[in-house]
């Protein structure tokens, strides 16, 4: 449970940093960031695998770069779910937000450690 909360906080931190450095990304406040972090985790667990499988040929042709568009779409979906409390203006802003959020998440996962090793 603690790991889950940390993952939400890491996603929220990534979205916060995105809202600070990426023009075109705006988040209402900390409550919205926490809800967006939770929703991003749910969307990445449920919707993203389906979209990734459906767009696999395009991902293969672009040598994986299309995954940036998929990640941007997931952030855009979260923004849409939150109504006017989070906004992403345009595909480029979404891709930049996906990069920033991905880097922050990667760093957070390094800090948390790999939970797969603990299960073995």
């Amino acid at each position: 449970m603690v790991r889950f909360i940390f993952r939400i906080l890491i996603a929220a931190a990534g979205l916060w940093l995105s809202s600070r450095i990426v023009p075109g990304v705006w988040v209402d406040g900390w409550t919205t960031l926490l809800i967006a972090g939770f929703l991003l985790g749910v969307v990445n667990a449920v919707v993203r695998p389906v979209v990734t499988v459906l767009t696999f040929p395009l991902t293969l042709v672009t040598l994986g770069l299309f995954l940036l568009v998929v990640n941007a779409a997931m952030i855009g979906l979260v923004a849409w779910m939150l109504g006017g409390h989070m906004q992403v203006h345009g595909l480029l802003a979404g891709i930049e937000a996906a990069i920033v959020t991905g880097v922050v998440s990667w760093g957070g996962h390094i800090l948390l450690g790999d939970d797969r090793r603990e299960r073995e």
Side-chain angles (χ1 to χ4, degrees):
M1 185 67 165
V2 173
R3 274 190 172 309
F4 179 69
I5 292 171
F6 278 131
R7 288 177 192 256
I8 291 172
L9 292 175
I10 290 168
L15 291 171
W16 173 79
L17 187 60
S18 294
S19 72
R20 293 290 170 215
I21 65 173
V22 175
V25 177
W26 178 81
V27 181
D28 194 13
W30 282 104
T31 306
T32 304
L33 281 170
L34 292 175
I35 294 169
F38 173 76
L39 287 176
L40 189 60
V42 171
V43 165
N44 281 339
V46 177
V47 178
R48 187 172 182 258
V50 174
V51 173
T52 302
V53 168
L54 292 176
T55 61
F56 181 72
L58 191 54
T59 302
L60 196 62
V61 168
T62 62
L63 301 175
L65 290 176
F66 191 73
L67 287 175
L68 288 173
V69 176
V70 171
N71 290 340
M74 298 304 108
I75 291 175
L77 179 61
V78 168
W80 175 77
M81 292 167 117
L82 289 171
H85 297 285
M86 179 179 172
Q87 298 174 1
V88 179
H89 297 285
L91 180 63
L92 186 58
I95 290 173
E96 290 172 357
I99 292 170
V100 171
T101 304
V103 169
V104 170
S105 293
W106 174 72
H109 288 273
I110 287 175
L111 288 176
L112 284 178
D114 190 5
D115 59 343
R116 286 179 282 186
R117 288 186 207 155
E118 294 173 5
R119 288 187 214 145
E120 293 177 356

